[in-house]
Amino acid sequence: MNLEQFETLAMYVCGGGLVIFMFFIVWDLAKKSNAGKFGTFVLFGVLGFAIMVFVIKEIAVHLLG
């Protein structure tokens, strides 16, 4: 395994771990602030949109690069 492969693997593993941790933070924030169903939906919607943009960027880089 060369350095480029290790960096790519580490980015996906650490990025995935960060996303899971952010889901926990948002869930805890919604629970502690009594956001309700709609507020929780909005919080997770924004987080999901950010993750979707990251995935779309990776796909675009792969297709164009």
Side-chain angles (χ1 to χ4, degrees), residues 4-64:
E4 183 180 353
Q5 291 172 333
F6 175 74
E7 287 175 348
T8 303
L9 179 64
M11 185 190 75
Y12 287 121
V13 170
C14 293
L18 182 63
V19 167
I20 291 169
F21 185 59
M22 287 190 306
F23 268 108
F24 171 74
I25 291 171
V26 170
W27 175 76
D28 191 47
L29 176 67
K31 183 178 155 188
K32 286 184 179 177
S33 67
N34 295 324
K37 289 181 182 180
F38 181 71
T40 303
F41 174 75
V42 170
L43 287 170
F44 278 108
V46 170
L47 179 60
F49 181 72
I51 295 167
M52 185 177 64
V53 168
F54 177 75
V55 169
I56 289 172
K57 180 195 73 97
E58 288 297 317
I59 292 171
V61 166
H62 180 69
L63 291 176
L64 297 175

